[in-house]
Amino acid sequence: MLKDLGVKPYTFPMPVLMIATYGEDGKVDVMNMAWGGVCAENMVALNIDEDHKTSANIKARGAFTLSIADIPHIEAADFFGIATGNKMEDKFERSGLHAVKSGRVDAPVVEEFPLTLECKVVECQHTAYGFRVLGEIVNVLADEKVLDEKGKVIPEKLNAFVFDQCRSGYYAVGEKVGQAWQTGAKLMRK
């Protein structure tokens, strides 16, 4: 029997994404976010509070990178969601991770994360529902360890984890359980 829970933002899974930007002083800032993702073939949408340092950096630089967080770096990824760059000047340094400048946009690439989208800001929107950033994906960088022989990403090698909005947990993902556009195809013939 279904039980009425009221209005809750319960979807599962939610991605754990790392937004990396440069501050006005050129320092690397990384923020953990779950309220966003791909919204078109070459576009991402980020729904973040405008008072975040990341928001100011995005507006000033017109660019960001968006990375998939992986299990080997879950401690740093969670830390990026706890600490604020507005109050902690050495936030990125404390993580022990390393960054290099993107070759395509004015934003850092965190070297330890296995998959990174380099994005340029297309539009910043102020709506009744909050601050939204639309970014165009101009390139994708992937660690060779997560690619097959044809250069395609092997999801289970990402070691990604997702956010559980219902109980505030992180869960590992990776086991393939079906093939898109084939697993349900037999129902087309009924």
Side-chain angles (χ1 to χ4, degrees):
M1 181 156 137
L2 296 176
K3 183 175 179 176
D4 189 343
L5 299 179
V7 178
K8 307 276 186 199
Y10 287 174
T11 59
F12 181 83
M14 290 185 76
V16 178
L17 303 170
M18 300 291 115
I19 310 169
T21 58
Y22 284 122
E24 60 199 25
D25 55 2
K27 291 184 87 163
V28 175
D29 181 60
V30 181
M31 176 184 164
N32 176 327
M33 67 145 322
W35 296 86
V38 173
C39 64
E41 189 169 306
N42 66 335
M43 299 290 291
V44 295
L46 313 176
N47 297 301
I48 56 180
D49 288 336
E50 199 163 6
D51 62 350
H52 285 295
K53 182 170 184 59
T54 300
S55 299
N57 295 345
I58 285 172
K59 288 190 257 180
R61 301 277 182 147
F64 59 93
T65 60
L66 193 62
S67 297
I68 301 293
D70 63 345
I71 294 169
H73 302 99
I74 193 170
E75 181 180 41
D78 189 54
F79 170 70
F80 291 144
I82 297 168
T84 173
N86 286 328
K87 295 180 181 174
M88 187 179 291
E89 288 187 26
D90 64 343
K91 177 180 169 183
F92 185 71
E93 291 80 8
R94 286 188 193 200
S95 75
L97 301 183
H98 307 90
V100 296
K101 183 167 179 19
S102 162
R104 311 273 172 123
V105 297
D106 188 15
V109 174
V110 179
E111 293 180 300
E112 287 83 357
F113 293 140
L115 188 69
T116 299
L117 285 63
E118 297 170 290
C119 302
K120 70 178 183 180
V121 175
V122 172
E123 184 178 353
C124 291
Q125 301 173 340
H126 296 86
T127 72
Y129 306 104
F131 181 63
R132 177 177 299 127
V133 177
L134 295 178
E136 179 185 354
I137 303 165
V138 299
N139 190 46
V140 176
L141 299 168
D143 188 316
E144 291 178 348
K145 295 182 289 192
V146 303
L147 300 177
D148 67 14
E149 62 281 346
K150 294 180 182 176
K152 293 200 177 235
V153 174
I154 304 168
E156 54 269 26
K157 289 198 174 186
L158 287 173
N159 265 329
F161 60 95
V162 295
F163 179 61
D164 159 25
Q165 184 73 16
C166 305
R167 297 178 65 184
S168 299
Y170 294 124
Y171 292 84
V173 295
E175 179 186 354
K176 184 174 182 178
V177 296
Q179 183 65 41
W181 301 287
Q182 291 179 18
T183 301
K186 70 179 182 180
L187 297 175
M188 295 294 292
R189 295 186 288 273
K190 282 191 167 190

